[in-house]
Amino acid sequence: MIGALMLVALIAPASARAPLALWYDKPAADWEHYGLPIGNGAMGAVITGAIAADDIQFNEKTLWTGGPGAPGYAYGLPPASLANAVARVQEMLDRSPRVEPQAVAAILGQPMTAYGDYQTFGDLILTFSEAPKTPGRYRRSLDIEHAVAKLAYTAGGVRYTREYFASFPARVIVIRLTASRPRKISFTAALTAPANRSAARTAQDGRITEPGALKDNGLKYEAQVRIIARGGRRSEAADGSVTVTGADSALLVLAAGTNYALHYPDYRGPDPHEGVEARVDSAAAQGFERLYRDHVKDYAGLFDRVTLDIGQKMGELPTDALVRDYGKGGAGDRALEALLFQYGRYLLIASSRAGSLPANLQGVWNDSISPPWNDDYHVNINLQMNYWPADPTNLAETEAPFLDFVDGLRAPGRVSAQRILGAKGWTLFLNTDPWGYTGLIAWPTAFWQPEAGAWLASQYYDHYRFTLDRTFLATRAWPVMKGAAEVWLDALVIDPRDGKLVVSPSYSPEHGPFSASASMSQQIVYGLFSDAAEAAKIVGDNAFRERLDAALKKLDPGLRIGSWGQLQEWKEDWDDPKDEHRHTSHLYALDPGHQISPLATPALAEAARVSLRARGDSTTKHGEAGTGWSKAWKMSFWARLYDGNHAHLLLAQLLKENAMANLWDAYVGPPFQIDGNFGATAGIAEMLLQSQQRLIDILPALPDAWPDGEVRGLRARGDVTVAIRWRGGKAKNITLTAGHAGTISIRSTLFAGKFKLENAQRKPVSTSGSGAVRSFLAKRGEQYSVTAF
Ligand code: FUC
C-alpha cells in the first residue's frame, strides 16, 4: 500500500499539478482581447505571441505627456480664486434645490489644459525570418503562479520556446529564446516608438539604446535592450537593430525609464540614462537562471499567501473557450471564477510595486498615445477600487505606490483646496495625472467630486485597521487624513433647510442634478470625520478631535430612506425606481464605508437592497449600466448585504459581459479598464470574509454555487490572517493567526453546533458570547483553530 502510494507520488508529485494559468492555442488576434500582460509595477509588457514577428509592446509608468513643460499647464487651477463663484452656486442651490450640471460647469468648470496622456513606450519587435507558416503544437500561456508568460511551437522537428517575465528585483523585462536543438535560434531585435518623440536609436555590442524626449513636454526617456546569444553570430545594423544567427539560445533584457520624479511642482528627476544602463547591465551579468529564481521568489512570496479552492477543475480548454463556455455551471465555471480571483491578485502585483506610480485605469498596460480617459487616475471610484483587494487578499505591499502617490497629492491639493474652495487642507476634484493635476475640468457630469481627497484618506485609515500599524498611522495616515478633514471643517456650509452641515455644491457621481448634500458627499465626509476622530484619539491630537466631534454632531450623515423604500441618492426624494445608472454611489456607506450593515442598521441595509435591486445587474440597452467596475462594486454591495447568490450573479454577469478572452475587464465592450478586475477580486474576498464591523465575519455571503471549498491567507481588520474550510455551505474549520494581542470576535454558522477552539499547542481556549458570535483573547503571533464537531 505504502509502496503504491509512493509510486503515485513519484509519478505525479504535488508540484506537477498544472499551475494556475491562462493559455491559448494561437497567437493573439489583437492586443486588447488576447494579449497576455506581464509587469513589475514600473514596467509592463503585453505578449501577443506572433511567430514570425513577435511584437512585445511595453510600458513604463512615468512616460506621460502633459504637465510641467507642456504649454499652458497649471495643475488644473483656475487663474483666480473661485471662492465667490462657489458661493454663487451655493446661493443658487439655497434658492432652488436642483441645478443642472451644465449650469454649474459653466460657472466652475475649467479647461483641461496640458493634462497629458499615459504613453506606450514602444515595441520590441523580434523578427524570425525562418519562422514556419504553420507551426505545430502552438501554445501561448501566462502562468500566474510564477508570473511567467511562455510561447512554444514546433517546426521541422524542433521545439521552440520563448519565455517572458518582468522582474521586480532586477527591474527589467527578461526574454529567453530556446530551441530543442543547437544553433536553431536566429532573429533580429529592433525597437520602435511612436512619432510624438525624438528617438535616436543605435546598436552596439549587442545593446540597443534609444534615448529621446517627448515633444509635448520635453520629458526625457530611455530604453535599452541587451541581447546575449549563446553560440552563433551577432551583428548590429545602422538602423539600431541587432541580428543573431544560429545561436543555441538567447537572453534579452529590456529596461526603460524617464526623468520623471513624483515631486511637486517640477516632477523632474535625474536623466534616466545611468539607471537604465545599470539595470540592463546588472541583469545581463546575472544570467537567466538567477534572474528567474529571484523573480519567482519575489513574486511567489506575495502571490502564494492566498489560495482559493472552490472545487474548480480547469480541464483542457484554452482560456478563451473557458470564457466563451462560461455559464454552463459546474467545475468549469468555478475554474474561471477562481482564476479571475487570482488573476486580479496577479495583475495588482504586476502593476503596483514600490517605487513607481500606482496602477492607473489600465494598470500599467497601454499600447496607445491617446488612451481612453488618458489612462489616468479617476478618483470618483476607479483609483480607489484598484486598491480594494490589496489588504483583504494579503498584498499590502502593493499599496506602496498608491500611498506615495496620494502623499504626493497633498502639496498641489492644498493649493487647489485654497484656490477653488477657499479652504485649508488638501483635496482634488475628479481625476488626476502624475503631474499633480488637482484642479478642475469642465465635463458637466464629471468634474466636481471635491470629496475625493476625503475618500482617499479614508483608505489610509482602512489600511491601518488591517495592520494596526501605529507608526504608519502616526507618520503617514494622520497627516493625510487631517489635511483631508481640514478641507471640510472649513468648507461645509449650513443647510437652510434643516441647519445641518452639508457639502454644497455637491454632485452624486456622474448622475442627476447638482444639489446641496448628495448622499455620497455626506457619507464620505461623515466616514472620514469618524475615522479621523478615532485616529486623533490614537495619535493624541485632542484639539483636532474636539473639532471633529463638534462637527460630527451637526453633520448630515447622508442616510435617508425614501418613498419607495430606497436609500435616497439625494437629500430630496428624487430617486427614480426605473433608473439603471451605473453609479450607485449613495451606497458608499455600505461599501467601502461601514456606516450601514444588516447587523447594526437593518432598516438602512434593507433600503440599500431596494436601491440596488432597482439599479439592476447587467448591461442594459442604455449601454452603460453594467460597466465592469459597476458590477464589481455591486458584488461587494450584495456581499455586505449577506446575499451571496446575488453577489455571485453579478460575478457571473461580469464574466459573461465584461471579461475579455485574456480576462481583462472591459468597460462595456472595449476599452479595457482594470478596475473591474480588481473590484471583482475584492468582491470575491468580501463574499468569503468580512471584518468591517469589528467582527470577523466568516463566509458572510457564500453562494450556493460554491458548496465546498477552502480559502487560506485572507486578511481581516485587526491584523488577523484567516483560513476557512467549508462543506455543504457551512464552515467546518477556521484558522486565525493573530498579528496583535487582543480580543478577536468571530461570526460564523459554525457556532450553531458543537465546536472547539484550540491554540497551536492544541490546548482549548475559552470563548465568550453566544449564538453566531464568539470572542476570545488572542496572544500576539499565536494561531488558533475553531473546528466543528
Ligand atoms: C468614472 C466612471 C466612468 C469611467 C471613468 C474612467 O468617471 O464613471 O464610467 O469608468 O471613470
Side-chain angles (χ1 to χ4, degrees):
M1 179 64 189
I2 289 176
L5 274 179
M6 276 176 66
L7 190 65
V8 169
L10 277 178
I11 297 169
S15 59
R17 177 186 60 80
L20 272 173
L22 287 74
W23 73 276
Y24 307 82
D25 54 14
K26 43 187 161 326
D30 64 57
W31 180 93
E32 188 161 33
H33 294 81
Y34 289 89
L36 292 175
I38 56 171
N40 62 10
M43 286 188 76
V46 172
I47 308 307
T48 40
I51 303 271
D54 192 356
D55 181 344
I56 300 144
Q57 183 277 326
F58 65 98
N59 291 99
E60 199 280 341
K61 275 240 194 77
T62 63
L63 191 72
W64 266 76
T65 53
Y73 185 67
Y75 309 88
L77 291 170
S81 168
L82 276 191
N84 287 337
V86 170
R88 189 141 58 86
V89 179
Q90 287 166 346
E91 282 157 24
M92 284 162 79
L93 288 166
D94 284 349
R95 286 197 302 274
S96 131
R98 46 192 298 159
V99 173
E100 285 316 304
Q102 288 72 12
V104 181
I107 299 170
L108 298 178
Q110 301 296 317
M112 186 165 152
T113 306
Y115 184 78
D117 285 286
Y118 181 42
Q119 298 290 303
T120 177
F121 217 105
D123 302 69
L124 167 60
I125 297 178
L126 307 182
T127 313
F128 299 82
S129 54
E130 291 162 18
K133 287 247 155 21
T134 45
R137 289 168 51 221
Y138 179 96
R139 187 182 166 101
R140 184 172 57 100
S141 61
L142 175 63
D143 164 358
I144 63 167
E145 284 182 44
H146 302 92
V148 177
K150 197 167 169 177
L151 169 66
Y153 64 92
T154 306
V158 180
R159 187 81 179 147
Y160 293 89
T161 306
R162 302 177 196 165
E163 291 153 286
Y164 319 76
F165 63 86
S167 163
F168 176 67
R171 284 156 169 89
V172 292
I173 288 175
V174 178
I175 301 165
R176 180 170 71 163
L177 312 175
T178 51
S180 61
R181 283 214 236 120
R183 295 188 296 284
K184 285 290 176 191
I185 301 293
S186 300
F187 65 98
T188 295
L191 285 176
T192 65
N196 66 352
R197 57 199 76 171
S198 65
R201 222 164 279 133
T202 53
Q204 209 186 347
D205 302 331
R207 182 197 308 265
I208 304 174
T209 306
E210 183 196 292
L214 294 179
K215 290 178 185 162
D216 172 69
N217 59 8
L219 187 76
K220 286 189 184 159
Y221 72 87
E222 181 154 329
Q224 284 199 19
V225 196
R226 277 194 61 183
I227 298 115
I228 300 126
R230 188 172 287 170
R233 284 187 325 269
R234 197 198 64 220
S235 62
E236 288 77 22
D239 66 356
S241 65
V242 173
T243 296
V244 169
T245 320
D248 298 337
S249 67
L251 168 69
L252 290 88
V253 283
L254 163 68
T258 74
N259 68 341
Y260 172 83
L262 180 52
H263 178 267
Y264 174 79
D266 58 320
Y267 295 96
R268 289 294 190 279
D271 188 286
H273 172 74
E274 260 174 47
V276 168
E277 184 146 304
R279 274 149 57 203
V280 288
D281 285 349
S282 142
Q286 288 174 51
F288 182 83
E289 305 299 337
R290 182 156 160 220
L291 287 168
Y292 183 85
R293 217 178 35 241
D294 288 355
H295 160 66
V296 172
K297 186 163 172 240
D298 164 73
Y299 173 78
L302 297 168
F303 186 79
D304 288 355
R305 291 176 187 166
V306 173
T307 58
L308 175 65
D309 175 356
I310 47 173
Q312 63 266 32
K313 222 157 123 223
M314 198 54 95
E316 292 305 309
L317 283 183
T319 308
D320 43 349
L322 207 59
V323 174
R324 187 196 58 216
D325 290 357
Y326 179 79
K328 293 189 175 149
D333 281 5
R334 290 197 293 268
L336 195 61
E337 292 161 358
L339 187 60
L340 186 80
F341 171 74
Q342 291 289 27
Y343 192 47
R345 298 183 65 243
Y346 167 82
L347 291 171
L348 190 59
I349 302 170
S351 65
S352 188
R353 298 297 297 273
S356 188
L357 293 167
N360 58 38
L361 285 173
Q362 295 189 172
V364 57
W365 302 279
N366 160 41
D367 67 342
S368 160
I369 57 169
S370 52
W373 289 282
N374 318 82
D375 211 346
D376 70 352
Y377 301 97
H378 268 57
V379 283
N380 65 356
I381 177 60
N382 318 81
L383 175 61
Q384 287 91 335
M385 183 176 275
N386 281 2
Y387 287 90
W388 286 358
D391 277 309
T393 78
N394 217 333
L395 295 175
E397 290 84 344
T398 62
E399 278 169 85
F402 169 79
L403 299 169
D404 289 347
F405 185 70
V406 177
D407 284 0
L409 290 173
R410 281 165 59 211
R414 199 169 284 129
V415 184
S416 295
Q418 188 61 53
R419 184 82 60 89
I420 297 164
L421 300 172
K424 281 216 263 317
W426 72 276
T427 195
L428 70 170
F429 287 80
L430 183 272
N431 51 331
T432 188
D433 59 12
W435 312 119
Y437 195 104
T438 44
L440 295 164
I441 59 172
W443 189 258
T445 54
F447 85 102
W448 188 260
Q449 236 67 69
E451 319 81 9
W455 186 349
L456 293 168
S458 296
Q459 231 151 319
Y460 277 67
Y461 195 60
D462 209 34
H463 179 62
Y464 165 72
R465 281 201 177 96
F466 274 96
T467 58
L468 302 184
D469 178 347
R470 288 200 176 204
T471 310
F472 168 80
L473 182 69
T475 60
R476 305 244 2 221
W478 183 241
V480 170
M481 294 173 73
K482 187 173 179 178
E486 271 172 339
V487 170
W488 294 108
L489 286 172
D490 266 11
L492 291 171
V493 295
I494 291 173
D495 189 335
R497 291 171 288 188
D498 60 7
K500 289 281 187 193
L501 283 177
V502 296
V503 175
S504 178
S506 138
Y507 192 60
S508 196
E510 317 212 12
H511 189 214
F514 269 73
S515 67
S517 67
S519 300
M520 186 197 223
S521 305
Q522 299 305 127
Q523 292 170 14
I524 290 178
V525 175
Y526 192 91
L528 176 69
F529 278 17
S530 345
D531 287 353
E534 225 175 84
K537 205 152 137 196
I538 304 170
V539 302
D541 193 335
N542 289 327
F544 200 70
R545 198 184 113 218
E546 280 167 20
R547 291 181 67 196
L548 290 166
D549 284 342
L552 275 166
K553 289 202 186 94
K554 291 186 259 165
L555 184 65
D556 182 337
L559 301 170
R560 284 184 182 75
I561 300 175
S563 54
W564 44 279
Q566 86 282 15
L567 196 73
Q568 283 181 209
E569 187 162 352
W570 299 275
K571 192 160 183 168
E572 310 278 340
D573 191 346
W574 293 328
D575 303 73
D576 173 357
K578 293 208 182 66
D579 184 345
E580 294 185 320
H581 194 272
R582 65 191 184 285
H583 279 276
T584 317
S585 307
H586 48 309
L587 270 54
Y588 176 91
L590 175 66
D591 175 81
H594 44 89
Q595 260 81 38
I596 298 181
S597 84
L599 297 178
T601 59
L604 290 169
E606 182 51 33
R609 195 171 285 133
V610 170
S611 289
L612 262 184
R613 260 199 224 108
R615 268 312 208 257
D617 305 321
S618 176
T619 306
T620 70
K621 54 182 180 305
H622 311 300
E624 289 215 277
T627 62
W629 62 256
S630 168
K631 289 190 183 110
W633 199 351
K634 287 170 185 165
M635 278 174 71
S636 284
F637 286 140
W638 284 114
R640 288 205 171 177
L641 291 170
Y642 294 157
D643 190 334
N645 286 338
H646 211 134
H648 184 266
L649 176 77
L650 264 309
L651 170 61
Q653 304 279 29
L654 185 141
L655 278 167
K656 279 187 212 146
E657 296 171 355
N658 304 75
M660 302 199 260
N662 58 4
L663 293 190
W664 268 351
D665 171 74
Y667 180 76
V668 233
F672 157 45
Q673 206 175 284
I674 206 163
D675 39 25
N677 285 102
F678 294 141
T681 294
I684 291 173
E686 290 284 328
M687 291 160 77
L688 301 171
L689 181 75
Q690 291 176 29
S691 57
Q692 62 277 6
Q693 304 294 331
R694 295 177 197 286
L695 192 65
I696 298 185
D697 212 331
I698 304 293
L699 303 179
L702 189 70
D704 294 343
W706 304 341
D708 306 316
E710 179 163 13
V711 64
R712 309 188 70 85
L714 293 181
R715 297 270 299 157
R717 291 174 186 81
D719 194 13
V720 184
T721 308
V722 182
I724 312 163
R725 192 168 50 79
W726 68 93
R727 291 289 172 269
K730 299 245 178 322
K732 293 292 171 206
N733 180 265
I734 306 163
T735 310
L736 305 136
T737 310
H740 274 73
T743 301
I744 292 183
S745 297
I746 320 166
R747 179 174 172 275
S748 172
T749 54
L750 184 154
F751 299 123
K754 278 197 162 177
F755 68 92
K756 60 177 186 205
L757 170 64
E758 295 174 332
N759 65 14
Q761 292 76 45
R762 315 207 71 167
K763 294 248 168 55
V765 176
S766 63
T767 60
S768 59
S770 61
V773 180
R774 308 294 164 113
S775 304
F776 69 97
L777 204 57
K779 291 197 185 120
R780 184 191 180 95
E782 277 271 355
Q783 195 175 79
Y784 300 87
S785 156
V786 195
T787 313
F789 286 128

